[in-house]
Amino acid sequence: MINDIRVGSLIAYCSVKRGNKKTLMFIVFVLSLIFMNLVFLPSMIGGMTVLFTGMMQDYPYGDIVIEPSGDNTYINNADNVLQKVRAVEGVRAATKRLDVGASIEHKQKVVGVTVTGLLPTEEREVSRYPYIISEGDFLGDLSRDEIIIGAMIAGTGFGSEIYDNLGEVRPGSLVDVTYSNGVKRTYKVKGIMEGTFELVDLNALVNYKEIEEVYGLEESKATSVVVRVDKQGSEEQIQDKIREAGVNEQVFTWADKSETLIKQAMQSMGAIDVMSKFVSLVVGAALVLIIIYINVLNRKKEIGILKAVGITPRSIVLSYAFLSMFYVSLGIFTGLILYLTLMFYFQANPVTFYETMEIRPQIDPVLLIESIVTMLTLSVIAGILPAWSVSRESILKAIWGR
């Protein structure tokens, strides 16, 4: 077997040395593009996943969100829940919120929204709401009769033409808010927030005390308690610790809550990715098969002579396996250089959507290893098949080229 490997590698080396260098460069270039297609699209999908999940963490859910249990509308005594949560090791910050339904009216234009009552100072450690004010200012702890409106419903943000909006509301404008319990309040717009994300830009923010007063709530109620952790990836461990601390409400990680929202989109992207990979692997294997098949046909007489002088069929098959591996390895190496060059470029110059949404592709080492192994395996098999077929022919038939 060792002699067969030595002879096979020598035959492959001589074949490459005598081969056309321009043809070799073309084969390597095409294989590098095939490898690029295997790894680039999944990297972009990974970047999109990181972007969307990051938005879920930065705005509605944090790292962990606590919600009312059973059929309860509110978390009763939310301050007590906050005290327990903040005492848990690994929790960086936590705050309570009140989400209610309402409609906002401005100059006879009416838009339905979710109004979130929050504690402005605490939000600076929990969410990005204070940092996405495109016009005006964020709420203060003493803010009353003031509101922050999402850019899409204000009519100033990218994508506002798709949804009903209030017609270019600006800081200082007065809007009428009618809450779900029928209470109507007039607010001064203090700021416009723009997160280029529908769950943000189609909603509004007021001080927590406003919602308490409008709904007559007492004893520190909340519709959610949002928690941020010290270390990303420890959400499930902190989730268990919060339950062990005596919190009886429903405790979810951001992944639990966001799964239903982004799962369908990611599944669609995943299906496209699988189809793209399948086509790339088929094309790559077919390319190697055709190259080796043509090579075998052109060297059929030479193969017969090799067999006549004592070269074993196994050595001949191995020579084409090495030849296939050489082509594919060069293609993968070139493809890796192209891939990493593109990755570094897009890290510095991310793909931008909706003017401010930046997608940076994610490099997944496991994906790279899987793609390399899969492409090598399929291509080597495709290269062996025609050589194995010819090596089984009789010496005379191979020499005569029949």
Side-chain angles (χ1 to χ4, degrees):
M1 183 63 182
I2 295 177
N3 287 333
D4 290 333
I5 293 174
R6 288 176 178 172
V7 173
S9 59
L10 179 62
I11 294 173
Y13 170 77
C14 293
S15 178
V16 171
K17 191 175 180 180
R18 295 198 312 265
N20 189 301
K21 299 301 182 290
K22 291 182 179 180
T23 302
L24 174 63
M25 290 174 62
F26 176 75
I27 293 170
V28 170
F29 175 70
V30 174
L31 288 173
S32 69
L33 293 182
I34 292 171
F35 178 76
M36 269 280 295
N37 192 53
L38 277 177
V39 294
F40 183 72
L41 182 59
S43 295
M44 292 301 295
I45 293 174
M48 292 178 66
T49 303
V50 168
L51 174 68
F52 290 129
T53 54
M55 286 180 171
M56 295 296 180
Q57 291 173 282
D58 288 338
Y59 300 109
Y61 301 129
D63 299 317
I64 295 171
V65 61
I66 301 170
E67 296 181 347
S69 57
D71 296 327
N72 296 327
T73 304
Y74 303 106
I75 297 172
N76 295 313
N77 199 353
D79 286 340
N80 183 44
V81 173
L82 278 171
Q83 185 178 1
K84 292 178 180 178
V85 169
R86 287 168 178 162
V88 172
E89 184 182 356
V91 170
R92 174 166 57 84
T95 189
K96 59 185 177 181
R97 293 176 182 167
L98 279 168
D99 293 325
V100 297
S103 62
I104 301 180
E105 182 179 354
H106 176 70
K107 294 182 179 180
Q108 298 182 336
K109 291 185 177 182
V110 182
V111 177
V113 299
T114 296
V115 178
T116 300
L118 44 74
L119 299 170
T121 299
E122 293 183 1
E123 286 293 332
R124 294 184 182 278
E125 297 183 45
V126 172
S127 73
R128 287 190 50 79
Y129 284 125
Y131 310 106
I132 59 169
I133 304 301
S134 58
E135 299 180 53
D137 299 302
F138 191 62
L139 298 169
D141 287 339
L142 300 178
S143 293
R144 294 293 185 276
D145 301 322
E146 293 179 322
I147 190 170
I148 302 291
I149 293 180
M152 288 184 182
I153 57 173
T156 61
F158 186 84
S160 57
E161 68 278 0
I162 302 173
Y163 303 96
D164 294 336
N165 63 74
L166 299 175
E168 296 194 6
V169 169
R170 291 285 189 267
S173 301
L174 296 179
V175 296
D176 294 321
V177 177
T178 303
Y179 289 96
S180 58
N181 64 351
V183 175
K184 187 174 183 178
R185 291 278 181 94
T186 298
Y187 291 103
K188 178 182 177 181
V189 177
K190 188 168 186 181
I192 307 295
M193 60 180 177
E194 186 168 10
T196 58
F197 185 41
E198 282 86 346
L199 288 178
V200 175
D201 293 349
L202 291 174
N203 295 325
L205 309 175
V206 297
N207 193 292
Y208 177 88
K209 292 293 182 182
E210 291 282 351
I211 305 297
E212 271 195 327
E213 292 174 6
V214 168
Y215 284 83
L217 301 177
E218 298 177 353
E219 299 179 358
S220 177
K221 296 185 185 296
T223 53
S224 65
V225 171
V226 180
V227 183
R228 298 309 294 260
V229 301
D230 287 324
K231 184 180 179 182
Q232 291 296 312
S234 65
E235 292 87 356
E236 291 185 0
Q237 291 87 345
I238 303 298
Q239 180 186 33
D240 293 335
K241 289 181 180 180
I242 290 173
R243 288 170 177 157
E244 291 169 1
V247 175
N248 298 319
E249 283 72 18
Q250 298 183 89
V251 184
F252 302 99
T253 65
W254 65 267
D256 296 332
K257 296 297 293 182
S258 63
E259 182 180 17
T260 55
L261 293 174
I262 64 174
K263 186 176 181 180
Q264 187 173 0
M266 290 301 106
Q267 282 180 338
S268 300
M269 290 289 187
I272 295 172
D273 179 35
V274 170
M275 291 174 61
S276 175
K277 284 182 179 179
F278 177 76
V279 171
S280 296
L281 288 172
V282 169
V283 171
L287 176 65
V288 173
L289 178 65
I290 292 169
I291 292 168
I292 300 301
Y293 181 71
I294 293 173
N295 189 300
V296 167
L297 286 181
N298 291 335
R299 297 181 58 199
K300 200 171 183 180
K301 184 178 292 187
E302 181 182 330
I303 291 172
I305 295 171
L306 288 173
K307 290 176 68 177
V309 298
I311 303 299
T312 64
R314 182 181 293 174
S315 297
I316 296 170
V317 172
L318 285 173
S319 71
Y320 283 97
F322 291 136
L323 190 61
S324 301
M325 194 175 296
F326 175 74
Y327 288 145
V328 176
S329 296
L330 279 182
I332 290 172
F333 178 74
T334 307
L336 269 175
I337 294 175
L338 292 173
Y339 170 74
L340 293 175
T341 302
L342 282 176
M343 290 300 100
F344 288 128
Y345 173 80
F346 284 117
Q347 290 297 324
N349 305 278
V351 180
T352 303
F353 291 97
Y354 295 123
E355 296 183 345
T356 58
M357 291 175 64
E358 296 182 344
I359 297 178
R360 289 180 170 84
Q362 299 295 302
I363 299 176
D364 185 353
V366 175
L367 170 67
L368 290 176
I369 294 170
E370 287 178 352
S371 300
I372 290 171
V373 171
T374 303
M375 191 167 172
L376 274 173
T377 303
L378 287 181
S379 299
V380 169
I381 292 173
I384 286 175
L385 289 176
W388 177 76
S389 176
V390 172
S391 68
R392 296 178 61 195
E393 294 181 356
S394 66
I395 294 174
L396 292 177
K397 188 176 181 181
I399 292 174
W400 289 341
R402 294 179 181 178

